[in-house]
Amino acid sequence: MTISIPGLPDQIEGLGPIVILGANGSGKTRLAVEMLNAGNAEFIPALRNIAVPDQIPNWTLQTATNELKNRTNQRRHNYWELVPDIDALFGKLWSSHAVEAMRVYEQVSQGVTPRDLPETVLTKTKELWRVVFPGRSIEFIDFTARVKNEYLDDASYTAKHMSDGERTGLYLAGRVFDSTNPVVIVDEPETHFHSRLAVRFWDALESLSPEKRFVYVTHDLSFALSRRDSSIVLVRPNQSPERIAPGASLPSEDVAAILGAASFSVYASRLIFCEGREERSLDQELLRSWFSDRHTALIPVGGCENVKRCTAAFQTASVVSGFAAIGIVDRDHWPDEMLSGLANVHVLPVHEIESLYVLKPVYTAIALQTGHKEGDIENLYMNAFSGFKKQMSGTLANKLICERFKARSMMLLERPFASTANFDDRALLRNNLITEIPRSTAVLESERIWCEEEEIVTNALESDDPAIFLRIMPGKPLIGTAAATLGLSKQRYCEILKIGLGSPSDPNYQALHNALENALADYLPLRRAST
């Protein structure tokens, strides 16, 4: 399949996705609209209505099809306006599904047993949604969409109570599966998704739509680099687009402009990818206080896998140049073998970032700053540490054992899938998987794995060494306990740490600043970028 990009001398051949990448205001969307006008393509604008109706319109298939077509044409010519097309879309999907259901019913009533149930756009949409949002399933009953969530004891809720990410996934899947166009142009594919969900969603949609070629229009470099076998087209203001040749670097000034427009200062020469999202949270606040020089940019990208992917991309000279990149991930409940050997990814020696707040030297520095006598601090911390142990016993310890058991088991169960690379022969593929899965250590030795993880948690709880305890136990719930032993609120305790890290020259905080830098230097990457 060949695709023409206005302004590029040559067509882009192949089946892989195309990424139109550029900073805000560079003209990416205008280029996409030119592509739309030049050929048959489905265009999904950045401004889209995702309010799934509580009551799906009860239209005939012809009426729903005509209504959706009218609104699609309206959207095509007014892409900058919000066109309410979601009710027409699901009216069509429901009507089409009902027509197929009636056809099967007529066959059965006449004594004919259908060999296969028809796969409708609605069933494909439901299946994709189930895969992308684990633990949740969506049903369309009596012209109403309802979600069942197994994490909420199978409680159900209507479409109006779905999250923006859930509604976005439902709308986009329906739009793509319903389209008969071979090319799908998506403006800002990451909108309403957090970074990890965006990657998972479009990976799944691409794999279930092999007959379509996707064109993504984005300024999100992390998402752009997540597209496998993609062709990248770079867009700059008032210039012709440029295709980045396979194996060539993205110019560092363009990377700075793209990322600067989205998330950080163009002065940065070192990128720190971390878990989480752009938000006010204890982990983000500590990391931003630590990496505070103008040459370092902290970029939250979602989960552990995204941190590894983004760091690897920036370390590959053939992708980007001009930046140093480091990743930081929580030790969390992952097995050591999953976290060992990660190139340029710093694995915390404690369970999570928040655990750094309750390190003994950090606690000591805050205690001294708030007027506690040096001779009393040892007993104060031991009281806090006893509180930590009591707090993490019982239910929280059981939950942690379960999470560690789950993470290790999933890692072992995934190995047969990772080793199965030949998809040409379905029978061979089936036999390999059915043979290998029962041989998995997670299946054969589940009791041993549970006992080992239980022992790790139990030993941490019984240890008198805070370093061993904090390596396994989460620190977030412990901060309030630590603060209380110093007569502080949790908020004030955290504020003192942030003020101390940010006040190197203030004589009132200089001792605190030096003590905190020394305390955290063994746990975090270098605080300042080398210039």
Side-chain angles (χ1 to χ4, degrees):
M1 185 186 301
T2 60
I3 292 181
S4 297
I5 306 288
L8 284 185
D10 299 317
Q11 293 181 321
I12 300 179
E13 299 182 356
L15 299 174
I18 296 172
V19 179
I20 297 177
L21 180 65
N24 289 330
S26 61
K28 304 185 302 297
T29 300
R30 289 192 298 274
L31 182 65
V33 171
E34 287 184 51
M35 289 179 59
L36 178 67
N37 294 332
N40 292 325
E42 187 74 19
F43 181 63
I44 303 177
L47 191 61
R48 38 194 180 251
N49 179 14
I50 59 170
V52 182
D54 276 345
Q55 195 73 17
I56 296 171
N58 184 10
W59 292 336
T60 66
L61 179 57
Q62 188 62 53
T63 299
T65 301
N66 290 339
E67 185 66 25
L68 181 59
K69 184 177 180 180
N70 290 337
R71 298 190 193 186
T72 299
N73 289 334
Q74 181 184 350
R75 185 178 58 243
R76 176 187 290 262
H77 298 297
N78 301 282
Y79 64 88
W80 58 89
E81 295 181 357
L82 183 63
V83 177
D85 63 343
I86 194 167
D87 55 343
L89 171 65
F90 279 94
K92 179 185 176 184
L93 301 193
W94 174 265
S95 299
S96 178
H97 184 80
V99 167
E100 289 298 315
M102 287 299 297
R103 184 178 63 81
V104 172
Y105 177 83
E106 290 297 329
Q107 287 182 339
V108 173
S109 66
Q110 295 172 14
V112 178
T113 302
R115 293 186 178 181
D116 296 298
L117 289 176
E119 183 180 54
T120 67
V121 172
L122 196 63
T123 57
K124 289 178 68 175
T125 300
K126 287 168 53 179
E127 177 59 19
L128 175 97
W129 202 85
R130 184 191 64 79
V131 170
V132 174
F133 298 97
R136 284 160 283 185
S137 59
I138 189 163
E139 295 294 336
F140 295 87
I141 301 173
D142 195 21
F143 301 98
T144 301
R146 294 194 68 87
V147 177
K148 181 183 287 187
N149 192 331
E150 68 180 44
Y151 299 121
L152 300 175
D153 297 324
D154 285 335
S156 64
Y157 48 91
T158 59
K160 70 167 61 174
H161 296 109
M162 294 165 65
S163 69
D164 283 352
E166 290 175 331
R167 289 185 288 177
T168 297
L170 193 63
Y171 170 76
L172 291 172
R175 282 287 310 277
V176 172
F177 287 142
D178 182 62
S179 174
T180 57
N181 290 314
V183 177
V184 178
I185 304 172
V186 190
D187 196 4
E188 296 189 17
E190 69 283 350
T191 297
H192 294 305
F193 289 136
H194 66 70
S195 55
R196 186 173 182 179
L197 178 58
V199 171
R200 186 166 72 235
F201 176 84
W202 290 107
D203 280 352
L205 199 49
E206 285 180 26
S207 68
L208 292 173
S209 308
E211 76 286 357
K212 292 181 171 65
R213 193 169 189 189
F214 289 81
V215 178
Y216 300 105
V217 182
T218 184
H219 62 241
D220 188 324
L221 186 55
S222 298
F223 177 81
L225 296 176
S226 75
R227 299 301 86 203
R228 299 184 182 92
D229 303 320
S230 64
S231 300
I232 296 179
V233 177
L234 196 59
V235 179
R236 305 181 183 91
N238 303 315
Q239 296 185 41
S240 297
E242 175 190 355
R243 183 181 180 187
I244 303 301
S249 299
L250 288 175
S252 58
E253 63 271 18
D254 287 300
V255 175
I258 293 164
L259 290 177
S263 56
F264 67 86
S265 165
V266 297
Y267 291 106
S269 59
R270 182 177 65 154
L271 311 181
I272 307 290
F273 294 106
C274 67
E275 298 178 87
R277 287 182 273 178
E278 292 279 1
E279 58 189 1
R280 288 195 64 185
S281 57
L282 291 177
D283 56 342
Q284 296 293 309
E285 289 176 356
L286 190 152
L287 289 175
R288 292 192 187 285
S289 298
W290 180 256
F291 299 114
S292 57
D293 72 301
R294 70 186 306 207
H295 298 289
T296 299
L298 183 73
I299 310 173
V301 293
C304 176
E305 289 302 316
N306 270 11
V307 172
K308 292 190 285 185
R309 182 185 295 113
C310 291
T311 305
F314 274 82
Q315 289 294 335
T316 303
S318 63
V319 178
V320 291
S321 59
F323 291 90
I326 301 172
I328 298 178
V329 296
D330 293 342
R331 173 160 293 281
D332 218 339
H333 43 254
W334 301 114
D336 287 345
E337 57 188 294
M338 275 194 71
L339 298 174
S340 60
L342 297 179
N344 300 297
V345 175
H346 177 87
V347 181
L348 288 174
V350 289
H351 183 89
E352 58 188 355
I353 291 288
E354 292 89 345
S355 303
L356 300 177
Y357 282 91
V358 295
L359 292 172
K360 185 176 181 180
V362 170
Y363 178 95
T364 299
I366 294 174
L368 289 172
Q369 180 67 26
T370 52
H372 292 274
K373 296 179 181 179
E374 188 171 357
D376 295 337
I377 293 176
E378 181 69 26
N379 286 335
L380 286 171
Y381 188 76
M382 292 314 297
N383 287 338
F385 189 53
S386 296
F388 297 166
K389 289 187 172 186
K390 184 179 297 184
Q391 191 173 347
M392 292 307 301
S393 299
T395 301
L396 290 180
N398 295 341
K399 181 179 179 182
L400 183 60
I401 295 168
C402 182
E403 291 295 334
R404 294 181 63 89
F405 174 76
K406 176 183 175 182
R408 188 170 168 192
S409 298
M410 288 179 65
M411 178 192 72
L412 294 168
L413 278 171
E414 285 175 356
R415 285 180 176 172
F417 295 93
S419 62
T420 305
N422 183 8
F423 296 101
D424 298 331
D425 188 324
R426 184 184 300 181
L428 180 61
L429 184 67
R430 174 183 182 276
N431 290 336
N432 285 345
L433 288 174
I434 291 174
T435 302
E436 289 300 322
I437 288 175
R439 296 176 181 172
S440 169
T441 305
V443 175
L444 292 177
E445 302 182 23
S446 56
E447 183 175 357
R448 177 181 66 81
I449 293 171
W450 173 274
C451 291
E452 289 176 355
E453 297 305 324
E454 183 179 30
E455 183 179 10
I456 289 171
V457 173
T458 301
N459 288 344
L461 276 172
E462 294 176 351
S463 175
D464 292 326
D465 186 344
I468 295 175
F469 180 88
L470 292 174
R471 178 183 173 90
I472 304 302
M473 298 295 168
K476 188 182 301 181
L478 309 178
I479 302 172
T481 302
T485 61
L486 297 178
L488 302 171
S489 68
K490 177 180 176 181
Q491 180 180 5
R492 181 57 182 159
Y493 181 94
C494 296
E495 283 178 354
I496 292 171
L497 184 146
K498 289 185 291 182
I499 292 170
L501 285 176
S503 306
S505 56
D506 187 332
N508 295 318
Y509 293 99
Q510 193 165 21
L512 173 65
H513 175 83
N514 293 338
L516 290 174
E517 276 207 334
N518 291 333
L520 296 174
D522 291 335
Y523 292 86
L524 292 168
L526 289 175
R527 187 172 186 190
R528 295 170 184 85
S530 55
T531 56

